[in-house]
Amino acid sequence: MSDQHFLRVDNLSKSYGANQVVKGVSFGFDKGEFISLLGPSGCGKTTILRMIAGFETPNGGAIHVDGKDITGLRPNERKLGMVFQAYALFPNLTVGDNIAFGLKVAGVPREQRRARVDEMLKLIGLPGYDKRYPYEMSGGQQQRVALARAIAPRPRLLLLDEPLSALDAKIRVSLREQIRAIQRELGITTVFVTHDQEEALSISDRVVVMNAGNIEQLGTPHDIYNRPATRFAATFVGHLNALPHATFGADRAIRPELISLSPRPDTDTTLVGTVSDIGFMGSVLRLKVDVEGTPLSIDTFNANAAPPQRGDQVTLHLAARDVLVLGAA
Amino acid sequence: MKADKFWSWLVFGLGAAYFLVPLIATFEFSLKMRRGYYSFDAYASVFADPDFQATFLYSSLVGLLAIVVGVLVVVPAVYFVRLRLPHLRPLMEFITLLPLIIPAIVLVYGYIRLYNSSSVIPFTGSALGTDILLTCAYVTLALPYMYRAVDTGMRAIDIKTLTEAAQIMGADTPRIIATVILPNILVAVLSGAFLTFAIVIGEFTITSLLNRPGFGPYLQIVGANRAYEPSALAILSFIITWGAMGMIQLLARFAPRTSARTD
Ligand SMILES: Nc1ncnc2c1ncn2[C@@H]1O[C@H](COP(=O)(O)OP(=O)(O)OP(=O)(O)O)[C@@H](O)[C@H]1O
Ligand SMILES: [Mg+2]
C-alpha cells in the first residue's frame, strides 16, 4: 500500500480466545474520504473500528494515521473523534458543555470554547440549544449533538459505529444526509460502520464490504453494486436474481431493475414468463415472474398506467452485458 | 371490598403502633423533667452540656472524614471492577458484606492487637493515630452500604460507553472519574454518605474501646447517669437518622435521567 494514504491499516488481526474475528485486514484511504465498513452482523466491523480508536488491542498488524504509527497509543492520545450507537452524551452536562468537553480537556480557553460550541451548534442545525440537557432532546437531536461533540476538537479521523441504528427510519435518512453534508464541508476523513447497505452506498466515497473477518471488496458504491468482485459482495449488496441455467449457463445473475417489460435500445435477450406476484412499493413495482420454473424479481418504476396482473404472460427484455458472472470466490 | 380495606388498615395500624408507641412514650417522658407540666427542659439541659457539643462535633468530623475516605476508596474500586474486572464482582460483593457478618468487637480487638503502642505501626499510641484508625473502622462499618449505593448508581449509567466517549476526546482516568463518573452517580454517593453518617454518629463499640470522645459513648454515659436527658437524646438521635434518610429520599428525585430516545 502506498505511504501517502492518510489512514492505513496493514494486515490487522484480532482474536478473542480461539475465535479469530478479524483476519489480516488491510486498506488505505485518502484524506477527506468518507469510508463505510459494510457487512453482516458479527463480521468484525465494530472490532476494526474499535482497534482504530484504541479500545481493542490488535493481535497483529498496524494502524497508521497521517504517516504515524498509532497502533500502540492509548485512545486518549490518538486525537480521534467517535460517535456511538447509543449517543453516549454525558447526562450531567448541558449540550454546550458536552460539545466543549474535548476542547476543555485540550486546554482551549473558555472564550474560544464558547465560540466553537456556537459554531458547532449552527453546523448541526441546533443553534441556541447549548443550555439544554440531553434528556430534554429527541434521539435525533442527541445524536447530532454527539456528532458536534466528536468534531469540535478537530479530530484527525471521525469514527461512527452504527450511529443511526437507534433512530426511527425517517430520521435515519435525513440524519445520514446531514452527516455527509457536514463531513464534506469540513473535509474530515470518516469511517462509518453499518450493516445497512443502502446507508453505505448512499453516503460513501468508498465502501469496504466485509464478511467473516475478511474484506470481500473495496470500491466505490457504483463499483460494488455494478461490478461485485465476489459472490458474497454480489448477494449481500442489493437484490440479485439467479438466471435459469438452461438459457444462460451456471452462476449467472442480474439485478431486478435491469430487466424491463418492454424492449430498450440495448436489450438483446428476451425471456417469457408468468406474473406470480406484484408488490407495490410506491415509486417502484416489484413483480415476481416465473420463467421456466425460475422465479425472477423485476423492479419497474411506477407509471400511471395499468400494471400487469397476476397470471399475465409477460416478455422480459435484458442486456447480456448486465448479466453478472458469479465467481467461485 | 370494605372488609379488605378494614383489615389492611388494621395491619397498617398495628405496624405503625409497634414503631410509634415507644417513640411517643419516650418523647412524652423526655418532656416530663419538670414536675407537673410538660417542658423542653431536658433538651435545654442536653444542648447546654459542653460534652454533648464536643462529642457531637467530634463524631460529625470523623464521620465526614469517613465519608470522604469511603468515597475515595469505593468509587474507583467499583468503577474498575465494573469496567475491567467484572468477573471479580461476586468477590467484591462478598468482601463488602463481611462487616455485617463480623461483629465490630472482633474488628476493634484486631485493631488493638495489630496497632497497639508496642507494635510496628503504633496507631493507638497517639490521639491522631487513633483518630485515623477510627476513621478506617467507620469506613469499614459503612462499606456494605456505601458499596451497594455506589454499585447501584453505576448500574444506572453506561459507564463503559461514557468512559470511551471521554477517552477518545483525550481525557485520562482521574479526569473521567472526577468529571464523568462521579457527577452521574452523585445521588447514589450522597445516599451512601448519609447512611455512613447515620451509622457513625451513634457508633459505640469501636469508639468506646478505642477510647475516643465520640457521641456514642457519650449517649451511653448519659444513659447510665441521668433520668430525662437520655430520652431527649434518643429522640434527637432519631431525628438525625431520619433526617439522613429523608435526605436520601429527597435526593432520589435528582437521579440522572435516561436519554435513550429514538425519535
Ligand atoms: N469482547 C469480546 N469477546 C469475545 N468475542 C467478541 C468480543 N467482541 C466481539 N466479539 C465477537 O467478534 C465478532 C465480531 O464482532 P463485531 O462487534 O466486530 O461485529 P460487527 O461486525 O460489528 O457486528 P454488528 O453488525 O452486529 O455490530 C462477533 O462474532 C463477536 O461475537
Ligand atoms: Mg458492530
Side-chain angles (χ1 to χ4, degrees), chain A residues 40-47 50 85 161-162 193-195:
Chain A
S41 183
C43 71
K45 310 177 293 285
T46 297
T47 307
R50 291 175 59 80
Q85 187 176 339
D161 190 357
E162 311 222 11
V193 162
T194 180
H195 61 252

Side-chain angles (χ1 to χ4, degrees), chain A residues 231-290:
Chain A
R231 179 185 286 268
F232 176 84
T235 49
F236 183 72
V237 180
H239 195 86
L240 208 57
N241 289 307
L243 288 165
H245 282 220
T247 329
F248 294 88
D251 291 330
R252 302 297 137 112
I254 192 164
R255 301 282 184 202
E257 69 278 13
L258 296 176
I259 305 176
S260 355
L261 293 173
S262 52
R264 293 192 319 246
D266 57 346
T267 54
D268 46 29
T269 310
T270 54
L271 295 168
V272 177
T274 316
V275 177
S276 63
D277 201 3
I278 303 163
F280 183 60
M281 301 192 290
S283 61
V284 170
L285 277 179
R286 173 160 289 183
L287 306 182
K288 291 254 188 292
V289 177
D290 192 88

Side-chain angles (χ1 to χ4, degrees), chain B residues 56-208:
Chain B
F56 191 78
L57 191 68
Y58 176 83
S59 283
S60 301
L61 281 178
V62 182
L64 284 181
L65 221 67
I67 287 167
V68 172
V69 175
V71 170
L72 287 179
V73 171
V74 172
V75 171
V78 174
Y79 174 67
F80 284 120
V81 167
R82 275 197 164 264
L83 199 62
R84 308 224 179 108
L85 307 162
H87 56 281
L88 288 186
R89 278 196 64 217
L91 183 71
M92 192 99 156
E93 295 263 343
F94 176 71
I95 291 175
T96 56
L97 272 178
L98 285 179
L100 291 181
I101 300 162
I102 299 171
I105 191 104
V106 174
L107 181 72
V108 72
Y109 278 130
Y111 277 178
I112 292 169
R113 264 201 95 83
L114 214 58
Y115 303 116
N116 65 49
S117 45
S118 55
S119 72
V120 192
I121 343 166
F123 269 123
T124 58
S126 64
L128 179 68
T130 316
D131 287 341
I132 294 172
L133 205 56
L134 189 63
T135 308
C136 294
Y138 286 168
V139 170
T140 309
L141 283 188
L143 192 61
Y145 309 99
M146 188 57 106
Y147 169 77
R148 267 156 198 84
V150 170
D151 195 55
T152 308
M154 284 208 200
R155 189 181 315 149
I157 57 171
D158 182 357
I159 58 166
K160 180 164 174 278
T161 315
L162 291 182
T163 297
E164 288 176 353
Q167 260 178 337
I168 202 76
M169 285 185 280
D172 56 14
T173 303
R175 187 181 197 113
I176 292 171
I177 293 180
T179 65
V180 176
I181 303 301
L182 204 51
N184 282 306
I185 57 163
L186 199 60
V187 170
V189 167
L190 285 175
S191 75
F194 282 114
L195 280 168
T196 304
F197 192 81
I199 291 166
V200 164
I201 204 72
E203 206 288 327
F204 172 75
T205 317
I206 295 175
T207 323
S208 162

